[in-house]
Amino acid sequence: MEFVDALINILNSTIRVSVPLLLACLAGLYSERAGVFDIGLEGKMLAGAFAGAAAAAVFASAWIGLLVAVLVSVGMALVHGFASITHRGNQIVSGVAINFIAAGSTIILGQAWFQQGGRTPSLPPEGRFGEIKLPGADALRDVPVIGQLYSGLLSGHSLLTYVAFLAVPFTWWVLFRTRFGLRLRAVGENPAAVDTAGISVAWLRYRAVICTGILTGLAGSYMALAQNAGFVKDMTAGRGYIALAALIFAKWKPVPAMFACLLFGFLDALSIRLQGTPLPLIGKVPVQLMQALPYILTVILLAGFIGKAIPPRAGGVPYVKER
């Protein structure tokens, strides 16, 4: 039973750690499927986290914080779209610029508004998304294995956790079962053909980056309003880049993207669990190595196990309409 409890605790931590990665990964999926490479996921997540925490601290409402986070992230996504779609700028440079702007402005505004070294005040309970207990979770808690899985693993997460995992089949349905999804994939592969059919390439790509902004806003909100009780400096800690790696690992498909994010979440949760624990034949491993382990294994998996990942053919290439 101790093994089952330990396993459930690790899997529970896996889910919690995976949520922002999954939302950011799906966000990148929309834009990159439309041919807009977005390395600025990190910056949009960070800006959304700060905006959400700041609004929730001022208005004492998690829902207002969520709305503001999404609006700010969508705004930054539109800036990226304006630079790379309208003006056909370099998409990598635009994304990196957004990351730098978010990293600097969140600290400056946080210090100017709250005088707490770039942090936001600790949020009250009404300013956070609390845990949701599923029906019958308490009654089934003592049932071996099945009850433990239901009450300890499936139940007790925030609303945004369930939204993140429901977004996976929804994204699959949008991309592969709707007209919008068909056009989105087509504009990422052959924008000239889409343009010839009388469909606006720019408008399709703008809608894709808006979807990216919404999902990165949700990811930032989760980190500031559910996983933590406020914003702290650089709280995304490179998760936007890991989400990009997971997207490549999943070959730009939503269901494999979910498993890639869960894999990284599991490695991260396992590294936290094993910190300070002596390992057989090795002994006590330095904390820094355990913290770096998920990133090292992610690089190894990307380098050696996914085979050739072919991105959308028009990805990262500004579309110039032929006259």
Side-chain angles (χ1 to χ4, degrees):
M1 293 301 291
E2 290 183 2
F3 172 76
V4 174
D5 289 338
L7 180 62
I8 289 175
N9 287 334
I10 292 177
L11 294 178
N12 191 292
S13 298
T14 298
I15 291 174
R16 296 176 189 273
V17 171
S18 300
V19 170
L21 294 174
L22 178 56
L23 289 168
C25 190
L26 294 176
L29 180 63
Y30 278 98
S31 63
E32 296 199 15
R33 277 286 190 171
V36 181
F37 189 77
D38 195 352
I39 204 172
L41 297 175
E42 175 86 3
K44 288 190 279 291
M45 288 172 63
L46 190 63
F50 173 76
V58 172
F59 296 101
S61 170
W63 290 103
I64 293 179
L66 175 63
L67 177 62
V68 172
V70 169
L71 289 175
V72 169
S73 295
V74 169
M76 298 196 76
L78 290 174
V79 170
H80 179 58
F82 183 71
S84 59
I85 300 172
T86 302
H87 290 281
R88 305 184 185 93
N90 187 293
Q91 297 173 7
I92 302 295
V93 173
S94 174
V96 170
I98 285 175
N99 290 340
F100 280 122
I101 290 170
S105 61
T106 51
I107 298 172
I108 293 171
L109 292 176
Q111 176 62 25
W113 291 348
F114 303 109
Q115 289 82 44
Q116 295 187 14
R119 300 166 58 99
T120 59
S122 183
L123 298 178
E126 59 271 16
R128 301 183 62 203
F129 289 98
E131 297 179 351
I132 297 175
K133 282 191 176 182
L134 298 180
D138 291 333
L140 294 173
R141 185 177 299 277
D142 295 329
V143 177
V145 184
I146 294 177
Q148 290 174 302
L149 287 173
Y150 181 74
S151 62
L153 185 61
L154 299 181
S155 180
H157 298 285
S158 71
L159 174 66
L160 295 178
T161 301
Y162 299 109
V163 169
F165 284 95
L166 288 174
V168 175
F170 177 75
T171 297
W172 177 88
W173 176 77
V174 167
L175 288 178
F176 299 103
R177 290 294 183 269
T178 67
R179 181 180 297 177
F180 170 71
L182 175 63
R183 292 176 174 177
L184 194 72
R185 288 182 288 125
V187 82
E189 295 290 340
N190 193 343
V194 174
D195 192 22
T196 303
I199 301 168
S200 172
V201 172
W203 176 228
L204 266 174
R205 287 183 168 178
Y206 265 110
R207 281 187 282 176
V209 298
I210 288 172
C211 292
T212 299
I214 292 171
L215 288 168
T216 48
L218 291 176
S221 296
Y222 173 82
M223 297 186 68
L225 307 181
Q227 192 176 36
N228 298 285
F231 176 84
V232 295
K233 176 184 175 182
D234 295 329
M235 72 183 307
T236 49
R239 287 178 175 85
Y241 301 110
I242 294 297
L244 279 176
L247 186 59
I248 298 169
F249 182 71
K251 299 183 179 180
W252 294 271
K253 296 177 182 178
V255 176
M258 177 186 71
F259 288 113
C261 293
L262 286 172
L263 173 62
F264 178 81
F266 175 75
L267 295 174
D268 200 4
L270 189 63
S271 69
I272 295 171
R273 182 81 176 182
L274 294 178
Q275 285 182 15
T277 303
L279 299 179
L281 304 177
I282 299 176
K284 191 174 181 179
V285 180
V287 173
Q288 293 81 359
L289 178 60
M290 296 306 299
Q291 290 174 338
L293 181 62
Y295 301 91
I296 296 171
L297 293 178
T298 299
V299 171
I300 293 173
L301 290 171
L302 282 172
F305 293 95
I306 67 169
K308 189 176 182 180
I310 302 175
R313 283 186 295 175
V317 181
Y319 175 64
V320 180
K321 186 174 182 179
E322 296 181 0
R323 299 187 183 277

